[in-house]
Amino acid sequence: MRAYCIPSDGASAQLCDLKIPEPGEGQVRVAIKACGLNFADLLMQTGAYQDTPPAPFTLGMEIAGIVDTVGPGVSTLSPGDRIAVYSGQGGLAEYGVFDADRAIVLPDDSGFEDAAAIQIAYATSHMALDHRARLQPGETLLVTGAAGGVGLTAVEIGKLMGATVIAQARGENKLAVARAAGADHLIDASEDLRERVKSLGGADVVYDVIGGDVFKAAFRATNPEGRLLPIGFAGGDIPQIPANHLLVKNLTVIGVYIGGYLKFRPEAVRNSFDTLFKWHSEGRIKPHISHVLPLEDVAHAMQLLKERKSTGKIVITP
């Protein structure tokens, strides 16, 4: 089979020819129909991601496909079942072997591309805004990088939760995407973020995927008792948070990493997925997928992600 893999320590990511894997105890083999790309895939290629597997490994963190074979001890799934799996690795391939207890049986009306695009980005935003920040109806939510794969889901979920959403992104096209997802106010990345947010009454919750100076500006525009969610650092600079300012304004900075929840509280992630797929079936959320590309174009897809030339999600269809 073809797979986009890191063949050895220090090697570049590349298309590889691998033997089709066999499922072990408690595992299923999946014919992969779609795999969502994430910024973490870029980091894994250089070993900079906190959960980078040891080489050799295949990239691709979230998949949807059809169960091909079940391993010993699996009674909950059968060949032919349509499933989604937050796998963490192994998704950019024609086949993959995954733990059965991570699989979610897809509703009949969920397409593979949407199912692959929903898991990490939407669950990150749902866990962050609902489980961690406790966003309330009527509060103001600021989302930076609001047209990206994760930021756009925060706009959509924030509106579903009854918040007023301020979306920051670069350029008219990306701002239009954020507006279509429900943003109430738009701020171009070239504008003074702090002053614009303050002119709109400040932010009660900040969902930041950029870091650096963007986080610093958002921090200074946060209302007393506000909550800040540093989701990622796409700008490359991890901000240092002045603890004395936290005290003065009674602010809370909240860490969110759903991969961590899989290790110490997996039921929280599964509950989030159940909610998200229910919302999708009801038409309340709809993943924005800007590019659907074949496996041989993964390197190009990664470059689109790196250069921020995509909006929403990029999905690969092996």
Side-chain angles (χ1 to χ4, degrees):
M1 70 174 189
R2 297 176 305 158
Y4 194 71
C5 69
I6 305 288
S8 60
D9 287 334
S12 299
Q14 56 195 266
L15 275 176
C16 307
D17 289 318
L18 303 178
K19 183 180 179 181
I20 296 176
E22 294 295 329
E25 181 78 25
Q27 295 183 321
V28 295
R29 185 171 68 205
V30 180
I32 298 170
K33 300 302 181 182
C35 176
L37 287 193
N38 293 274
F39 192 76
D41 290 306
L42 288 176
L43 298 178
M44 280 192 190
Q45 293 185 72
T46 60
Y49 188 60
Q50 61 262 30
D51 274 346
T52 301
F57 70 93
T58 296
L59 292 156
M61 301 178 69
E62 55 184 340
I63 67 101
I66 300 172
V67 174
D68 175 67
T69 304
V70 300
V74 176
S75 59
T76 55
L77 297 170
S78 302
D81 285 347
R82 302 167 68 255
I83 65 170
V85 184
Y86 174 14
S87 59
Q89 61 173 297
L92 290 173
E94 293 174 313
Y95 291 88
V97 165
F98 309 108
D99 291 343
D101 61 7
R102 283 207 180 187
I104 301 165
V105 177
L106 294 176
D108 293 338
D109 55 359
S110 286
F112 291 122
E113 292 171 13
D114 275 9
I118 282 174
Q119 298 170 74
I120 293 176
Y122 276 95
T124 295
S125 292
H126 183 246
M127 292 284 290
L129 297 177
D130 183 39
H131 182 69
R132 299 290 283 138
R134 306 293 184 187
L135 179 67
Q136 299 299 307
E139 289 190 312
T140 296
L141 167 67
L142 168 63
V143 180
T144 69
V150 177
L152 195 61
T153 65
V155 173
E156 199 172 358
I157 290 174
K159 283 303 295 181
L160 273 177
M161 294 179 67
T164 297
V165 179
I166 304 171
Q168 183 252 25
R170 185 173 298 279
E172 292 183 6
N173 291 340
K174 290 187 175 182
L175 289 172
V177 170
R179 180 190 294 112
D184 299 285
H185 305 285
L186 306 173
I187 300 176
D188 191 273
S190 63
E191 298 181 71
D192 187 321
L193 180 64
R194 178 194 180 194
E195 292 305 317
R196 280 295 315 279
V197 173
K198 289 180 69 175
S199 74
L200 295 169
D204 300 305
V205 175
V206 172
Y207 185 103
D208 175 53
V209 303
I210 304 298
D213 290 339
V214 171
F215 180 88
K216 293 174 186 176
F219 184 96
R220 297 175 72 185
T222 305
N223 292 329
E225 293 193 332
R227 290 89 76 203
L228 298 106
L229 299 153
I231 300 298
F233 316 106
D237 180 21
I238 299 176
Q240 303 301 304
I241 299 168
N244 58 320
H245 291 187
L246 294 177
L247 299 180
V248 171
K249 295 174 71 175
N250 290 284
L251 302 179
T252 304
V253 179
I254 305 171
V256 182
Y257 171 49
I258 64 168
Y261 274 99
L262 288 173
K263 298 174 182 177
F264 71 86
R265 195 176 169 189
E267 72 278 5
V269 179
R270 180 167 289 277
N271 290 342
S272 180
F273 283 162
D274 288 343
T275 297
L276 293 168
F277 278 105
K278 179 175 182 290
W279 283 352
H280 182 256
S281 293
E282 295 170 349
R284 301 177 72 189
I285 58 172
K286 171 64 178 174
H288 175 89
I289 302 171
S290 65
H291 297 77
V292 178
L293 298 169
L295 191 60
E296 54 266 27
D297 287 346
V298 171
H300 171 59
M302 292 287 190
Q303 197 64 25
L304 290 172
L305 198 62
K306 182 178 181 179
E307 296 175 358
R308 303 185 202 173
K309 292 184 177 179
S310 61
T311 54
K313 294 288 285 189
I314 299 174
V315 172
I316 303 298
T317 52

